[in-house]
Amino acid sequence: MTVRTPRLERATLLDLLALAVLLLLAAALRFTDLSTRGPWDADQGHDMLVLFRFVSEGDWPLLGPPTSIGNFHHGALYYDLLAPAAWLGGSDPAIVTGAIALSGTAAVGLVWWIARAVAGPAGGRIAGFVAGLVAALSASAISESTFIWNPNLIAFSGALTIAAGWRAWTTGRARWWLLAALGQAITMHSHVLGIVFLVPVAALLVADARRRPPGSRRALAGVGLGALAILLASYLPLVAHELGHDFAETRALIAWLSGPGAPVALDPISRLLFVGLRIVAWPLTGLLTDALGPGTVASLGVLVALGWRLRAAAGPERDFVRWLAFSLLWSWLALGLGVAGLATVTPLPVDHYHAFLDPLVFLLVGLGTAAAWEIRPRPDVPPGRTAGPAAAAVAPTAALARTLTPARTLTPARMFVLVALGALLAWNVGHWPPAVAPDGGYPAAARAGARIEASAGPDPVAFVSLPEFKTAEAYLFPLVRDGHAIGEPATATTLVVVCDALFITDCGGPAEDPVAAAAGLGRLVDRFVAAPGRTISIYRRG
């Protein structure tokens, strides 16, 4: 009989304690003020309308949310994953947001596990805790976990894909590839650009097959076909839609691919540089254009860590870092050269589009920190002196810290790690999303909906949005959820015009009145600002 040693039990307890601390911290930061913290606009209203009709009326969605890069849609699996929360919560947006917050919390645990497993016994505990801590405290990751939007599931699905693929690689158990395929399916359904990550995942599967003996390859081939079946089966709703709608999605995709595309202001080199910084900086310091200096410094630090680990890592960590480098390189080229929106600064958010790479960035921070923590001073350096520019930069802080910490444990490298990590975490803590979104979140939209209902009475209400390409579903959803009758502008007694000042410069009358007059509803009964930059005008017939 095998008896566990006290040391093994202590190591296990330390890992469980670290994981528990990280999950509790991540949950505390994500489940706070769920009803007000996330923004509420057309995308959120649209998703909740689809979920409401799904769980209340049995209208099963065959397509996901519409994309912003063409007249086609993301995957319907996104709605399938959120439907249980919508059903249990009575289509309460806060409950649906809670499901997204849960996925963000789970992503932190997966990041911890991957870093812990990759770094091995020596540095795994530090790598896992640091990677998980940065993921838990990341202002971008917290923001992604606190409002309803399809890309917000990608951090979890990306981490799940990486964890399952690495488990298959290290254990030789091919069945883990089935879970990796499920994670990849969620990634691609949550955003169409998630297909970019399919290439690195497939490359790891091929590498796993090539290193196996011939007999084992046949078993892996069967699992590979099963993984492919999972990916294809996830798109059966899309196939059903295409067969019933003259292949509208396919034609829209072909038109977008064959079209001129969006104009790009940057040359290819500048474009790659900007997109590369954007990819790495987003999970660490947020939007690059809002924090160019910190984002550039953080990105350079991550790239240095990547180059160092490519050269110095050994064993399983070396395999993982090589695959990680390939994943970043391929995604950087594919997104930088193939997606014009990422190379252009717009008022609309696009950084979530590459969130499937966020776990890789967190992992690099953890692996680099763990390796740097183990750096020892050169034996030829006299006591009291530091070696190298990095140590010199933190020498004043190290001198103060030596009065509190034994000199043998607080090396210059460790001091540098503490300062750099502390600065990164402090930046994120200072940029967490506020308790109440600038637009007031769904509660503000619900109050606007109640005011619309009070003006309309029991009569049907029609909605028009300015500009036309942006829907009025942010304020349509509260009425639909309340069971209020919805009509068309030509026949409804009440017309609601939602004007967004981000796109329309003359909201507040000049833009709305002609629309109402054209519909024959020229009598203004109420006008108010529902959120900063959003004006609601209510007209009645007669």
Side-chain angles (χ1 to χ4, degrees), residues 107-250:
V108 171
L110 288 170
V111 166
W112 168 84
W113 181 87
I114 299 167
R116 177 72 178 89
V118 168
R125 190 164 292 118
I126 295 175
F129 188 77
V130 170
L133 184 64
V134 175
L137 299 183
S138 167
S140 299
I142 293 172
S143 175
E144 291 170 356
S145 299
T146 52
F147 73 103
I148 301 169
W149 202 30
N150 51 286
N152 290 344
L153 295 179
I154 289 180
F156 163 74
S157 61
L160 178 64
T161 303
I162 297 167
W166 182 245
R167 186 68 175 165
W169 176 270
T170 54
T171 64
R173 298 174 183 172
R175 287 175 294 180
W176 283 102
W177 283 113
L178 300 177
L179 184 59
L182 176 60
Q184 180 60 29
I186 297 173
T187 300
M188 294 191 301
H189 278 255
S190 296
H191 199 280
V192 292
L193 293 180
I195 196 172
V196 170
F197 201 52
L198 180 61
V199 172
V201 174
L204 186 61
L205 174 60
V206 171
D208 190 16
R210 291 185 61 184
R211 66 175 186 156
R212 292 171 179 258
S216 181
R217 288 181 190 174
R218 286 191 291 270
L220 182 59
V223 171
L225 291 175
L228 179 61
I230 290 174
L231 293 175
L232 295 178
S234 71
Y235 285 99
L236 287 178
L238 174 61
V239 173
H241 175 274
E242 292 294 81
L243 293 176
H245 294 81
D246 193 26
F247 294 91
E249 289 290 299
T250 303

Side-chain angles (χ1 to χ4, degrees), residues 515-535:
V515 175
L521 293 93
R523 184 166 64 91
L524 179 70
V525 296
D526 194 9
R527 175 173 288 143
F528 60 96
V529 176
R534 293 184 218 152
T535 302

Side-chain angles (χ1 to χ4, degrees), residues 30 84 91 95 97 142 239 255 266 313 454 482 525:
R30 286 157 175 77
S91 297
I95 304 301
T97 306
I142 293 172
V239 173
L266 300 176
D482 287 346
V525 296

Side-chain angles (χ1 to χ4, degrees), residues 376-387 395 398-399 402 406-408 410-412:
R376 304 296 182 187
R378 295 203 316 263
D380 58 331
V381 177
R385 296 184 59 185
T386 56
R402 287 193 192 98
R408 287 184 299 176
L410 190 63
T411 63

Side-chain angles (χ1 to χ4, degrees), residues 52 123 166 183 234 284 296 394 421 506:
F52 176 83
W166 182 245
S234 71
L284 300 180
T296 301
V394 299
L421 186 60
D506 53 351

Side-chain angles (χ1 to χ4, degrees), residues 308-371:
W308 177 32
R309 300 321 300 153
L310 280 172
R311 180 180 179 183
E317 182 184 357
R318 186 183 184 95
D319 294 338
F320 182 83
V321 173
R322 285 177 172 177
W323 175 80
L324 186 153
F326 168 73
S327 300
L328 287 178
L329 176 62
W330 157 255
S331 301
W332 170 49
L333 294 175
L335 296 174
L337 298 177
V339 184
L342 286 177
T344 306
V345 179
T346 71
L348 301 176
V350 297
D351 291 81
H352 295 63
Y353 294 0
H354 48 69
F356 55 86
L357 298 173
D358 290 359
L360 297 180
V361 177
F362 294 138
L363 290 169
L364 271 175
V365 174
L367 295 174
T369 299

